[in-house]
């Protein structure tokens, strides 16, 4: 079947497969292709409806009897820096971030490989080759960027690469597609730092939201997303604001 759209995108559904987040569950996804001249605007519209992007595919869960995957986004202007976040920013004060064209290099792949081998060796990306990685970073029809994180060198210039985040620029914010970092720098909480950095970037751009993807209740690997409050969560009634607990 052709993936070319006429007036609206065609949607498809995957066959059932084991859920990567919750043991004993089965997942299915509804998806469409992000191609052609309207891919950028469609990416924004679908993100607002709870979809995520992977290369030229936009998808969202469509699991029978399960709604554990909840799309979340952070309102940048009302986000509050709690003490642990301020501590993370202070620890990483020597890190410089720069926004680049989304083009993969051997340096990026080496860092990605180290991250996967140390943190997610049993995950779906464990077998990604350098060509697979390049396709993930390079191949898309949307407005994407790669944010590099480097420790400042002795001369004050950016030095060793310790993290990177692939992001999409949407009409109403930024979407964090995938991030990876040096596993030997665990004390820096680089994953948290990259999210905080992009919340600040959204604010500087004058846009409202940072999209974080899916928070999955009951999944330890996704639980970190619930820490970034206040945040909006997509429900059957629309986006609902979730605030920090009082006291």
């Amino acid at each position: 079947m052709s993936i070319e759209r006429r007036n609206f995108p065609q949607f498809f559904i995957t066959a059932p497969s084991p859920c990567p987040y919750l043991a004993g569950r089965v997942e299915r996804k509804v998806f469409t292709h992000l191609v052609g001249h309207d891919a950028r605007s469609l990416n924004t519209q679908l993100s607002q409806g709870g979809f995520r992007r992977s290369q030229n595919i936009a998808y969202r869960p469509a699991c029978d009897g399960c709604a554990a995957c909840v799309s979340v986004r952070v309102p940048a202007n009302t986000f509050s820096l709690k003490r642990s976040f301020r501590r993370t920013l202070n620890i990483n004060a020597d890190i410089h971030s720069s926004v680049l064209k989304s083009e993969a290099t051997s340096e990026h792949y080496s860092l990605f490989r180290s991250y996967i081998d140390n943190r997610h060796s049993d995950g779906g990306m464990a077998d990604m080759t350098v060509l697979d990685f390049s396709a993930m970073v390079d191949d898309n029809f949307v407005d994407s960027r790669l944010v590099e994180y480097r420790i400042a060198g002795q001369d004050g210039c950016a030095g060793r690469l310790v993290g990177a985040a692939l992001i999409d620029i949407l009409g109403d914010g930024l979407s964090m597609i995938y991030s990876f970092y040096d596993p030997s720098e665990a004390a820096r909480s680089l994953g948290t730092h990259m999210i905080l950095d992009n919340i600040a970037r959204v604010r500087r751009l004058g846009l409202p939201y940072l999209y974080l993807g899916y928070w999955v209740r009951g999944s330890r690997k996704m639980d970190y997303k619930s820490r970034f409050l206040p945040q909006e969560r997509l429900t059957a009634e629309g986006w609902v604001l979730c605030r920090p607990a009082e006291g």
Side-chain angles (χ1 to χ4, degrees), residues 80-231:
S80 56
L81 277 176
K82 57 185 180 181
R83 183 180 302 175
S84 63
F85 289 156
R86 291 194 294 269
R87 184 165 58 247
T88 297
L89 291 175
N90 289 334
I91 291 172
N92 293 296
D94 60 338
I95 287 184
H96 295 171
S97 66
S98 54
V99 181
L100 309 173
K101 186 177 180 180
S102 54
E103 293 182 344
T105 67
S106 58
E107 185 182 25
H108 297 145
Y109 180 69
S110 178
L111 180 64
F112 167 81
R113 191 73 262 167
S114 177
Y115 172 77
I116 290 294
D117 291 345
N118 282 270
R119 300 293 299 269
H120 301 287
S121 60
D122 59 345
M125 293 184 170
D127 296 327
M128 284 185 71
T129 67
V130 65
L131 294 179
D132 296 329
F133 176 77
S134 294
M136 179 180 76
V137 175
D138 300 353
D139 293 350
N140 65 75
F141 289 83
V142 302
D143 195 1
S144 67
R145 299 288 189 276
L146 193 67
V147 186
E148 285 189 347
Y149 296 85
R150 294 179 180 272
I151 296 178
Q154 293 183 348
D155 57 358
C157 297
R160 181 168 63 89
L161 180 71
V162 294
L166 180 64
I167 63 172
D168 285 353
I169 301 175
L170 305 176
D172 63 348
L174 301 178
S175 176
M176 295 193 71
I177 302 301
Y178 192 75
S179 59
F180 51 96
Y181 52 86
D182 187 344
S184 71
E185 298 283 354
R188 288 180 173 270
S189 299
L190 287 168
T192 296
H193 177 73
M194 288 189 282
I195 292 175
L196 296 175
D197 177 65
N198 281 288
I199 291 173
R201 181 166 290 107
V202 168
R203 190 181 295 119
R204 291 195 299 272
L205 290 171
L207 297 170
Y209 299 114
L210 178 69
Y211 287 80
L212 293 182
Y214 299 117
W215 166 60
V216 185
R217 188 186 300 274
S219 171
R220 292 183 62 186
K221 68 172 66 175
M222 288 295 186
D223 192 54
Y224 71 92
K225 296 182 182 181
S226 65
R227 299 171 53 225
F228 296 88
L229 298 171
Q231 67 180 220

Side-chain angles (χ1 to χ4, degrees), residues 12-27:
F12 309 88
I13 193 163
T14 64
S17 62
C19 177
Y21 304 117
L22 300 176
R25 303 280 185 94
V26 174
E27 74 165 358

